[in-house]
Amino acid sequence: MSKTVLGFDFGTKSIGVAVGQEITASAQPLLSLKANDGVPDWQQIATLLQEWQPDLVVVGLPLNMDGSEQEMTQRARKFANRIHGRFGVAVVTQDERLTTTDAKARLFELGGFKALGKSKVDAVSAVLIIESFFENQYDI
């Protein structure tokens, strides 16, 4: 049986969300949630968890290019811990370096500058976080 994974690209104003399937090691963008200084509407998260029933949640971990941590790293970890604490779902973090750059490149290829809306970039970043998690798990 394939596992369902819900991915989050944490940000202080917007949190991208994607869903992935372990069997195909792929993901699709869902939406971006508004956040107020990194705090989402927890009811929206509850609704997503209810709807998708994920076996695992993957939260992107923003690191500096040299792998060192920054303020956003701690905030993303806190967000991951809160999801686990509030909803009891298994949560892991995944290095997300360069996912926003890659997401913008993917969207630009598909639709030029018009495709580069912030909410789309955040959701595609969440896709890339899930896909990199699968790659690390299975050496794809």
Side-chain angles (χ1 to χ4, degrees):
M1 182 115 176
S2 177
K3 288 184 180 173
T4 299
V5 176
L6 207 56
F8 292 92
D9 177 34
F10 175 80
T12 56
K13 294 180 183 163
S14 176
I15 299 169
V17 185
V19 65
Q21 291 296 325
E22 181 184 53
I23 197 163
T24 59
S26 64
Q28 66 185 36
L30 292 177
L31 70 150
S32 290
L33 304 171
K34 294 219 178 294
N36 184 4
D37 195 26
V39 179
D41 175 344
W42 288 106
Q43 185 54 52
Q44 289 180 308
I45 304 251
T47 300
L48 286 164
L49 292 170
Q50 255 181 334
E51 180 179 350
W52 292 99
Q53 297 289 306
D55 299 287
L56 181 68
V57 169
V58 179
V59 175
L61 199 61
L63 298 168
N64 292 317
M65 290 310 294
D66 65 2
S68 63
E69 295 193 0
Q70 54 179 294
E71 179 194 346
M72 283 299 287
T73 310
Q74 295 305 320
R75 294 184 77 170
R77 267 206 185 97
K78 187 175 181 180
F79 173 73
N81 290 338
R82 285 197 171 145
I83 289 175
H84 175 71
R86 282 177 182 251
F87 306 107
V89 64
V91 180
V92 297
T93 56
Q94 174 65 41
D95 180 354
E96 69 162 40
R97 282 177 281 184
L98 297 179
T99 55
T100 300
T101 302
D102 291 347
K104 286 178 181 176
R106 265 196 202 185
L107 286 166
F108 186 79
E109 282 176 27
L110 295 173
F113 285 110
K114 291 182 290 192
L116 294 177
K118 174 77 172 127
S119 64
K120 288 182 183 175
V121 170
D122 290 338
V124 172
S125 292
V127 165
L128 296 172
I129 289 165
I130 292 173
E131 289 177 354
S132 65
F133 169 77
F134 286 142
E135 287 169 12
N136 286 351
Q137 291 292 113
Y138 306 109
D139 293 325
I140 296 173

